């Protein structure tokens, strides 16, 4: 029996968001809306998304002893996330500068701050959280050596989910543990180390699986997603909504998928549910503020 359905290890950022008519090109200045400050960060977002759906969730992360850190901790606790694993202090909380255009698309620059100080030692010190968690999910806004330590700390029988965002080349040890590896096309190309990954998402999935992951999910935006494992590949249709802000929708998708896999659903079933959660998340502004409850997903 596990205490947590899901342990999220990852980043927590204050999102500084400006709405713009058009995201600026190189060398260009544009005027935008008033500044909004939201709790964000791929790890913190996943934790809130899972908890709002009803998953028993813990977060292992690092924030600064500052107002942004308080904002993030408040958001986690309000959603029902166990923050026993959130370390506070040393350096300022991570910050993400985000512009969002009228189509809901965004551009993001992250200053990692405290996220960059989440060390392998912090992971080893949290061994009890790993032993209490059915599924462990992480991303790449924390140091890669910390992600490697996450893989080494997994309890027997627990499942590891990785969204390698922002993407970088991964050691075989990490790839082998992924079940699934969740990527978009850009991330797939970086992981594979080539701009040519074959003609179809089915090709990309086949080549990714050969690199080690036990399963792969490729998100395809308006085209939905593809799930693939040794059992074969299957398309998951997109859920059509009018987008307001896509920020954090991928994090909600990943969290929902990781949680549902832990309940025993197949990869295709979990991805279909996650697609509904991700769709709901793009219909409201902000990342964590946009995440649905299970009842809202049912109503979608
Ligand atoms: O995935 C969205 C997140 O990416 C934002 O909340 C921002 O903090 C960056 O980490």
């Amino acid at each position: 029996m596990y205490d947590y359905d899901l342990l999220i290890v990852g980043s927590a950022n204050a999102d500084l968001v400006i709405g713009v008519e058009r995201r600026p090109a190189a060398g260009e200045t544009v005027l935008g809306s008033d500044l909004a400050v939201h709790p964000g960060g791929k790890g913190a977002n996943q934790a809130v998304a899972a908890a709002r759906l009803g998953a028993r969730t813990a977060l292992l992360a690092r924030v600064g002893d500052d107002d942004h850190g308080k904002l993030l901790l408040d958001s986690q606790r309000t959603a029902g996330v166990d923050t026993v694993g959130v370390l506070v202090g040393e350096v300022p909380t991570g910050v993400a500068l985000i512009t969002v255009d009228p189509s809901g698309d965004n551009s993001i620059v992250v200053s990692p701050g405290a996220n960059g100080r989440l060390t392998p030692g912090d992971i080893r010190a949290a061994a009890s959280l790993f032993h209490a968690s059915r599924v462990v999910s992480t991303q790449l806004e924390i140091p890669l050596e910390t992600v490697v330590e996450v893989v080494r700390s997994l309890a027997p029988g627990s499942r590891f989910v990785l969204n390698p965002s922002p993407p970088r080349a991964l050691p075989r040890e990490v790839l082998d543990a992924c079940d699934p590896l969740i990527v978009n096309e850009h991330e797939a190309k970086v992981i594979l180390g080539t701009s040519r990954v074959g003609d179809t998402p089915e090709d990309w999935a086949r080549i990714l699986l050969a690199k080690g992951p036990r399963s792969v999910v490729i998100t395809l935006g308006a085209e939905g997603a593809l799930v693939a494992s040794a059992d074969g590949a299957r398309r998951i249709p997109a859920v059509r909504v009018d987008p307001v802000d896509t920020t954090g929708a991928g994090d909600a998708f990943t969290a929902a998928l990781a949680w549902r896999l832990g309940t025993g659903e197949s990869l295709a079933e979990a991805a279909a549910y996650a697609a509904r959660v991700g769709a709901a998340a793009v219909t409201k502004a902000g990342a964590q503020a946009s995440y649905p409850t299970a009842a809202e997903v049912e109503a979608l």
Side-chain angles (χ1 to χ4, degrees), residues 11-15 39-42 45 95-96 98 106 108 110 141 165 247-251 287 291:
S11 59
N13 298 325
D15 287 353
K42 298 182 193 304
N45 290 348
V95 170
I98 303 179
N106 60 51
I108 304 179
V110 172
E141 288 184 336
S165 179
T247 307
D251 306 327
Y291 293 158

Side-chain angles (χ1 to χ4, degrees), residues 66-87:
D66 50 28
D67 287 347
H68 288 159
K70 289 190 188 72
L71 173 78
L72 284 151
L73 282 166
D74 281 351
S75 179
Q76 295 293 315
R77 289 170 181 154
T78 301
V81 176
D82 190 334
T83 57
V84 67
V86 180
L87 305 163

Side-chain angles (χ1 to χ4, degrees), residues 137-140 147 160-164 170 174 178 180-183:
S137 176
T138 192
Q139 332 74 38
L140 296 185
V147 174
F160 179 63
V161 174
L162 176 65
N163 171 223
L170 293 171
V174 171
C178 295
L181 176 77
I182 303 174
V183 290

Side-chain angles (χ1 to χ4, degrees), residues 228-285:
S229 67
D231 298 334
R234 188 166 153 192
R235 294 273 184 147
I236 307 297
V239 178
R240 306 269 170 221
V241 289
D242 286 331
V244 172
D245 181 356
T246 58
T247 307
D251 306 327
F253 176 94
T254 297
L257 180 82
W259 170 50
R260 298 295 278 217
L261 287 172
T263 68
E265 286 189 350
S266 70
L267 193 56
E269 288 167 337
Y273 183 82
R276 291 157 64 90
V277 173
V282 306
T283 62
K284 293 183 190 156

